[in-house]
Amino acid sequence: PALICGGKYWSKEFDKEHRLRYRYDRLCDCLDVEHRLARPRHNFTSVNFVIKRSILESVPFDESLADLGHEDTLFNYYLFKRNISITHIENSVVHVGCESNIVFVEKTEKSVANLAMVYRKLKQDPDFAKMDSTIIAYSFCKRCGLLWLVKCFFAMFGNMLRKWFIGGFGNMLLFRFYKLGLFIKAMST
């Protein structure tokens, strides 16, 4: 295989002040090998992978995105465009540290803005859209004419949701809605 991804898992649960990142990863990123194999492209993360040197040299990480997030999504997209497959194995790394809710919310806001910037840069390529669940939800809302509705709800409830997340409320459905609202807002500017 050209690229092997091992996944990750958390060693323990965290207190209320650090709960959001823990819950997000547990439900969205820390998947067992069977789940990752079912959707290998969608479940790629750069936290634990091995790749042939020749491929990495021909498809380098875009280091201009390093502080903002989604460099692994863009890397995955470039691998896909070159027909480089991803193999998932059961060899997870243990994630032991956990940032506070406020730090995770701020990082999420930056990474969603960055995702929108990359998506616009790639001229809204449908292949890139398949790499991220926020863009998949955005595309669905756009096709169904619902962007205005989500934008309206986000304008009314976005600040309240942000406060809830910072306070330790970790509902992932609402957190995904929050990310979608941020993405729609970023795509509108």
Side-chain angles (χ1 to χ4, degrees), residues 1 29 34 36 41 47 49-50 59 67 82 103 107-109 116 122 147 154 156 174-175 184:
D29 281 348
E34 289 80 22
R36 290 185 284 118
R41 285 268 163 228
V47 71
F49 77 101
V50 176
V59 186
D67 277 348
R82 289 171 175 79
V103 170
K107 283 183 173 182
T108 297
E109 291 164 349
L122 296 174
L147 290 179
F154 186 73
M156 291 189 303
L174 289 177
F175 192 68
I184 291 170

Side-chain angles (χ1 to χ4, degrees), residues 14-25:
F14 290 85
D15 61 10
K16 186 178 178 182
E17 217 174 282
H18 298 84
R19 186 175 297 152
L20 186 62
R21 173 61 186 260
Y22 170 77
R23 285 195 174 159
Y24 181 82
D25 271 5

